Amino acid sequence: MICPVCKYDMIVVEYHNIELDYCNSCKGVWFDSGELELLLESQDLEETKVFLDGILNSQEAISSEKKRNCPICDHKMKKTAIGEQPEILIDICRDKHGLWFDGGEIAQLIRRLAGEHPSRHDSKEQVISFLEEVFEAPD
Ligand SMILES: [Zn+2]
Ligand SMILES: [Zn+2]
């Protein structure tokens, strides 16, 4: 798959049967929606599923950021903001092929998730360490 930002080939990162596409050049990450769902299911994170549905069905954010094309269907993706101040802007395929995180946005999301729902600390912790492992490993 080709990186929607810099057009380099992305590398496939596999972890617990879940494959992600990672761009070594801009550090962006592509999640197929099915893969993200698998990840959340494997962690049994109901709250996170609600969170994901919220993202997939949210309104387009107003942004001056350049629009990116979906690496699967090549149509322009919509910008969606996660959280508030400072919000994280991610790109989502309108046909729900998946989500694109620019380099650094995953790290912001990890910090955001880590700060929320302290009562669900254990399961959140698993996803956070999963993400850390995946995104800090390749170099
Ligand atoms: Zn790239
Ligand atoms: Zn698409």
Side-chain angles (χ1 to χ4, degrees), residues 11 13 22 24 27 133-139:
I11 57 166
V13 178
Y22 174 80
N24 233 335
K27 313 292 180 202
E133 209 167 312
V134 168
F135 298 110
E136 288 179 8
D139 216 326

Side-chain angles (χ1 to χ4, degrees), residues 3 5-8 23 25-28 100:
C3 172
V5 178
C6 54
K7 315 295 179 200
Y8 282 102
C23 176
S25 170
C26 67
K27 313 292 180 202
W100 173 258

Side-chain angles (χ1 to χ4, degrees), residues 104-116 128:
E105 287 177 343
I106 280 278
Q108 280 177 278
L109 183 63
I110 290 169
R111 261 177 261 132
R112 193 70 56 81
L113 287 171
E116 283 172 10
I128 291 160

Side-chain angles (χ1 to χ4, degrees), residues 36-98:
L36 192 50
E37 245 165 70
L38 268 179
L39 164 63
L40 300 175
E41 270 167 25
S42 72
Q43 304 294 342
D44 199 22
L45 287 181
E46 283 301 323
E47 271 176 50
T48 314
K49 259 189 244 177
V50 172
F51 168 79
L52 175 65
D53 280 348
I55 295 174
L56 289 176
N57 297 311
S58 62
Q59 297 289 317
E60 173 137 30
I62 297 157
S63 161
S64 55
E65 247 185 48
K66 198 167 173 286
K67 292 234 198 285
R68 323 247 192 246
N69 289 3
C70 170
I72 293 175
C73 64
D74 205 35
H75 291 155
K76 283 210 181 344
M77 295 190 279
K78 70 171 180 183
K79 298 276 177 198
T80 296
I82 306 178
E84 290 166 13
Q85 304 314 325
E87 52 191 19
I88 303 169
L89 269 183
I90 63 167
D91 299 85
I92 296 175
C93 171
R94 293 171 199 275
D95 292 327
K96 304 196 175 168
H97 287 129

